[in-house]
Every structure is written in C-alpha cells, then in structure tokens.
Amino acid sequence: MLKQLRKYLTTIIILSLVCYLFPATAFASMDEDADDIKYSVDSDDTLDFNDDNFNDKCDDVTGEKLDYIKFTSLPDDDEGILYYDYDESEDDDDNTEVRESKKYKYRGSPYISEITFVPDEDYDGRLTIKYKGYDEDGNSYTGKVKISVDKAKSSTVITYTLDDTDDTVKFDEDDFFDICDDVKDEDLDYVKFYLPDDDDGMLYYNYDEDDGSHTKVSSSKKYYFKSKSKLIKRITFVPDKDCSKTVTIKYKGYDVDGDSYSGKIKIKLDDDDDDDDDDNTSNGIITYKIDDVINFDDDDFDDVCDKINDRDLDYIKITIPSAKKGILYYNYSDGSYSSIVASAKKYYCKSSPYIKNITFVPNNNFTGSCKISYKGYDVKGDSYSGTILIAVGSHNQTTKDITYTSSKNTPTTFKDADFNTICKSLMDNQLSYVKFTLPNTSNGTLYYGYTSRGEYTSKIKSSTKYYYGASPYLLNVSFVPADNYTGTVTIPYTGYDTDGLSYSGKVLITVLSSGSNNSGGSTTTPIDISKLVSSKYFSDVDISYSWAVPYIDSLYESGIISGTTTTRGSKLYSPASFVTRGDFMLILYKTLKFQTSSTTSNFRDVPSGSYYYNAIMAAKALGIVQGDLDNKFYPNNPITREDAMVMALRAVNITGKTIASGDTSNLYVYADSSSISDYSKTAVAALIKAGIITGSDDNKIYPQGNLSRAQVAAIIYRVKNL
C-alpha cells in the first residue's frame, strides 16, 4: 500500500513539473487553431484590418502577445485584393499588394493595422484568408480571416473622361442625384468632398479660366443639389498639367432625411501625349535598341525600382529568354565570358554578382523584339515584376513599310492585318492601335468611314487612336488622293502593342496615272472603295455590314466559312443570324486545326454523322468544351458571347498560340460587368486585352447575348491572325 502511495505521489509530482515547465500554451502550435476573425464589408467599400483582433486571438491560443503573422493564402482576384498602406486616390497598380510569406507585425513595421482589403466590385459572398500567427516567444498557431462581402445596392462611382490635361470637367448634379436615389431611395440634399492631391488637380467653384475669379472647393463645406447656397453643378475639376492617371475623388452624400453614403468620382485622363513618352519606368519596362550586344545598366533597374517601390534596388532575378533570340552572359567580352546568366541567381545593384556585368548577345539571325521578364527586389525585400524590351535591329529597318498601289483619283483603304503583322514581327506582340502623322493635303487626305466623294464619317486626326480590335477601327481608315495627283505619299505612323510599347512605321502609297491597283500590302490586289464596303462574295453582306466585310471575305477565301447558295446562284452569308454552339465550334476547329487521337465518346446530343460531329468530339477530348451534367452540348442552341470567349481562349491555348492574361478587375469599367459569369471572367478579360472582343458603343459587353454571324467572323479573323 505504501509503495502504491509513493508511486502515486511520484506521478503527481512529475505531472506537476511537466505542467509547470511546459504549459499548455507551449503545445498550441501543434493542436490548436485560433477562432476565426470575422469582418463584413460592402463590395463598394474597403476594410482595414484591426491588429487587436489578431492579438486577441493569439492571446487566446498561446497566452502570449502577438509578434507577427504570415498569410498562407490570399483572396482570388475575383474576390478582392489585400493591400499594404492602401491609398484610395492612387490607381490599384500603384498600390502595394500584401504578399504571402512576408511578416506583418502587431507592434512594428510593416504593421497589420496598415493592411486593407479591397473587394472586387462584382463580388458578393464570403471568402476566407488563412494566416499563421507567431507570439513573442516564437510559438505559432494557425488562423483564418473570414470576410462577408455584400454587393452594394448599386454603383456609387461617377465616371468622367478627359481628352487631355488642358481639358476640364464640370460636375453634373444629376449624376450625384441619381446615385443617391439608387442607394438611399431618397432625394439628394448635399455632398461633401475629400479633396484630391494637388499633383492630381484641383476642384474649383465657379471656375473661370480667363478672369481667375473662382475659389477652391473646401472639404468642410456642403455643396447642394438644389439650394440658394453653393451648388454641385458649379464645381469644376482642373487636372494638373503633369497628371496622366485616373484621378479618384471621394465624397460623402447626404439625402434629404440626413442619411449618408460614400461615393467616388473617377476622372480618367486620356492624355494623348502621355502615350508618346518613352519613359516606361513606372510600368517596370526597360527598353534598349541595339544592333550588336548590350550591357545592362544598373541605373535603369534602380530607376524602375524607385518609381514602383519608392526604394533603392537590391537585386533582380531574370527569366531566361529563348536561345533563338539571344543569350545572357556574365562578364562577357569579345566572345569570352565567366558564365551564362541563371534564372535562379540574384544579380545585385551594388554588389557582386553585378547587374551591370550582364550582357545580352543576340542570335546572329535574329532581328525584332526580345522581351525578358525579371523580378526586382528592393532593399526592404519587397518585390515587383518588370520587363526588359530589347529591339534588335528592328528600329533601323526600312523593309517593314506597308506599301499600297492605286490609280489616280482612287481611294485606298488600309488593312488592319498589315499593321498587326508588322507589330508582331517587331514587338513580338499584338497590335493595339496606331496614330498617324497626316499627309500634306496637296497629296491627299486621310478619312474615317469614307464611302464616296464627300461621304465620310470624319477626317483622321493625328491625336486619335485607331484600333486593331476596337472603335474607331483601323480598318475604316482610307487615303483619298488629291484630284489628279500621282506619285508616292509617305504617311508616318506610331504603333502601340497591347503592352503599351511603341514603334515607328510608314505607309507608302503609290498613286499611278493608270493601270492595275495594288492596295493590299505587298501581296494582295486592292479593290475599288465601293467593293470594300460590300462583300465580293455574299450578296446579303452589303454596305450596312462594311465593318465586317474584310473579316467575312477573308474567312471565305481561307475556306473557313462558306454560306449558302440560292437557286439563282448567288451566295448568302446571313450576317444577322445567330451562330449556334455547334457552328461556332466547327469554325474554331477549321481555323485552329486542333486534332486529337483520343477515343473519348461525344456528347449524347451530338448525332453521329452530323457536320460538326468531329469538331465537337475533338473539342471535348481536349477539354475545350465540357457540356453539362447530362453529357449534353446543345449544339443547336445559339451561343452566348461569354461561352464563345471561353471556348476561343481554351482552343487558342491548346493549339499553342498565345493570348496574354487580362486583369479581371478592369472589367468593372463596362456597364454590365456584373452580368459576366464568374467562370468566364478570365476569358473575357484576356480576349478584351488581346483586342479580339470589344465593348459596344454603349460601353457594354452583353455576355449573355448571342453572337451574330458577322460578329463571329470578326472574332475568328482576329483569332486566326494572332
């Protein structure tokens, strides 16, 4: 009995010592999670993290004060973004995103309290962000932040666009009234403004540029919708002459019952001169133009880091370019070198191995654009992504001119594919738009939408952008020679690719006194302007479809589309008819020629022997289409615009062509962006960026709408010419 008592007491003592030396909190990282931190926010608002919330959870789990946290998962882009030291007046690209693996501290920089969640304006639901917390003794635990995002009743953003910084915008009181009515279901009484930064611009009351009698808007004053006092409609925004970004001005609105809401005014400065600026450092782009080798300049990289992160550069890591274009060497000199640059290695601004000792040696047979991606890290460890653009020989080429030949008094209409081909050869990227230097009027005039003498939409302006895949369309530009003029006209232009990088080119138009024309570049025979506005092949594609004629005729000539033949022998395309899902897949199949050896069975509603059977079966096997739970494809249903975009992107990616990813957060600029299904947002953003899909004149995508045969021709033509 005594032995048992001693054994019992010994056990008690040992357990007590263990509990004293190793309290329960010491094992928290192994068997406990913190309770969830819960927040809620409207989709048009922002959410600042409360560091005390995190400290309380740490104390609950470990019994100690919080030191720092690391995020182990971040929100998806279509849910929202976490920013550090968020400035709502800045563009999102100019704000710093929170990074996984970085320490965010309770009582030190970078602070947890400086973290802001900005929900996607179209997101509605609940999201989870995972993190790992560490107390001051080094004990760790896991936790979650759960955020409920409620979709705002309606948008509270008022948007204006200025052509350049010499322009001003006068506020429209009805814009503010309409938002108040939507949000509060009451009439607007007044608003109070949060003033923009001085380097963005100024808000003035009763602005008069000539006599200077205006006064600055005050953040403490009320500006009314209807009153004898200060009125909203008398407020004018005047941009700073050096501002070239979208300016956001926050305001607070109050209805007639005294209830308030928060709103924003976004003023987009579409400054034409800004596109001509060769300084791309704010976009992380470093540009070199060479005929031989080029040594990297560490100051160029340091300048980019300073512009983006506002800090000095520490080092970079480089993605190695294709050997077909060139090779990066370290300590290169006349063919000898210390090593070939490695993608995993750090190259420093102020220590060895040095950035300045890196040399790009182009391949002997390569001319054109070589893009090299890199990641830069500042002295605090924060990173950014950048691009080195090396133009090899292409900046001096004179063989890349676009040439047309026409007869006296005969217009020449430009072909957008000619410009896109040049852009891709020089920049290794899709064309976005061009801007023209106007010819001497004694030689001729550039018109937009020219149909016949005196009949045109407008004259071409040197400040206007003419797009490859959006309005105003490049393919609607025509050169009309002066009466009886003969000779060669040179029209310089500047092209811009989808990354915003520019190059210079020329259009050479030779006007002959007589003889056959050649207005299709160096290989195509041009046609008279009257034939350009209606199809050469289809009798029902008349001048009302002139915008689609180049697409339809080109696809017909390539054997991708065929149309139908009437009893009288004329061909019909039915440009206004909706395209079915089966027909769209067949056209994609013919265009991209995707094949598979898979024996995967087809969808059960695709009849064997049908004209689209093989196309749909190949698309299913390759994952381009998936069907529904009943294994149906519905080939005879009209295809929606968003489904067509999803199928097109998948088909392009599978066949080895490239469409760069788009930013889904940019879709909000379209009035019906909330109608875009979540599954299609990535495809919609990518095809818009590539210029394959464009918005409508009323700034909508119409994702649930159906595609006409004319619209499909435009999409497929652009896909074909990627």
Side-chain angles (χ1 to χ4, degrees), residues 372-436:
I372 303 173
S373 300
Y374 73 94
K375 200 158 189 178
Y377 296 81
D378 65 28
V379 291
K380 294 290 187 180
D382 291 332
S383 66
Y384 66 92
S385 296
T387 302
I388 307 158
L389 179 67
I390 305 176
V392 182
S394 60
H395 56 288
N396 291 325
Q397 289 184 22
T398 58
T399 58
K400 293 293 184 180
D401 298 334
I402 298 172
T403 59
Y404 299 106
T405 303
S406 69
S407 298
K408 184 170 59 176
N409 300 325
T410 301
T412 298
T413 296
F414 294 172
K415 290 191 174 182
D416 57 357
D418 294 337
F419 292 84
N420 187 47
T421 299
I422 299 296
C423 182
K424 288 199 295 185
S425 68
L426 293 179
M427 311 301 289
D428 198 24
N429 206 358
Q430 184 95 342
L431 176 70
S432 178
Y433 63 89
V434 303
K435 294 168 74 172
F436 293 100

Side-chain angles (χ1 to χ4, degrees), residues 142-337:
T142 57
K144 298 176 183 176
V145 181
K146 293 188 175 180
I147 304 174
S148 295
V149 181
D150 296 323
K151 191 167 180 62
K153 182 177 178 181
S154 65
S155 173
T156 57
V157 179
I158 298 170
T159 303
Y160 298 107
T161 301
L162 298 179
D163 290 335
D164 55 55
T165 53
D166 293 329
D167 203 357
T168 61
V169 60
K170 193 170 185 179
F171 288 178
D172 187 336
E173 59 187 352
D174 289 333
D175 293 336
F176 294 84
F177 180 85
D178 290 343
I179 286 180
C180 183
D181 183 57
D182 287 343
V183 174
K184 309 303 293 184
D185 202 24
E186 289 289 348
D187 290 349
L188 176 67
D189 187 12
Y190 64 89
V191 300
K192 297 177 79 172
F193 295 97
Y194 299 86
L195 302 183
D197 291 338
D198 290 349
D199 55 1
D200 289 338
M202 298 286 253
L203 288 177
Y204 290 105
Y205 191 77
N206 282 337
Y207 181 72
D208 190 327
E209 185 178 12
D210 295 328
D211 64 19
S213 61
H214 43 264
T215 58
K216 293 181 180 179
V217 167
S218 170
S219 60
S220 63
K221 282 187 169 55
K222 301 174 182 178
Y223 295 88
Y224 290 86
F225 175 66
K226 296 291 184 186
S227 171
K228 293 181 180 179
S229 186
K230 292 186 177 298
L231 297 173
I232 297 170
K233 66 181 180 181
R234 293 184 181 173
I235 295 176
T236 300
F237 173 73
V238 180
D240 184 85
K241 63 182 180 61
D242 295 323
C243 185
S244 60
K245 65 180 182 180
T246 296
V247 177
T248 300
I249 302 172
K250 295 193 290 185
Y251 72 92
K252 201 156 191 177
Y254 296 81
D255 65 23
V256 291
D257 290 337
D259 293 328
S260 66
Y261 66 93
S262 297
K264 300 177 188 175
I265 306 151
K266 286 187 179 289
I267 304 173
K268 181 181 179 183
L269 298 174
D270 190 14
D271 188 353
D272 289 321
D273 293 334
D274 187 54
D275 291 320
D276 297 328
D277 189 354
D278 288 330
D279 183 10
N280 290 304
T281 55
S282 60
N283 296 322
I285 299 170
I286 297 171
T287 303
Y288 297 112
K289 296 180 179 180
I290 65 171
D291 291 308
D292 199 1
V293 301
I294 180 69
N295 293 321
F296 287 180
D297 188 335
D298 51 3
D299 288 336
D300 294 335
F301 292 84
D302 191 47
D303 289 344
V304 169
C305 186
D306 182 62
K307 283 285 184 71
I308 295 178
N309 283 15
D310 199 25
R311 294 194 191 101
D312 290 341
L313 177 67
D314 186 10
Y315 64 88
I316 63 172
K317 288 185 175 182
I318 300 175
T319 300
I320 304 305
S322 167
K324 294 180 180 179
K325 296 186 176 183
I327 297 177
L328 291 172
Y329 293 100
Y330 190 76
N331 278 338
Y332 180 88
S333 177
D334 295 328
S336 63
Y337 55 90

Side-chain angles (χ1 to χ4, degrees), residues 530-542:
S530 63
K531 294 180 181 178
L532 279 171
V533 296
S534 60
S535 174
K536 294 187 290 183
Y537 308 106
F538 299 102
S539 60
D540 59 346
V541 182
D542 54 20

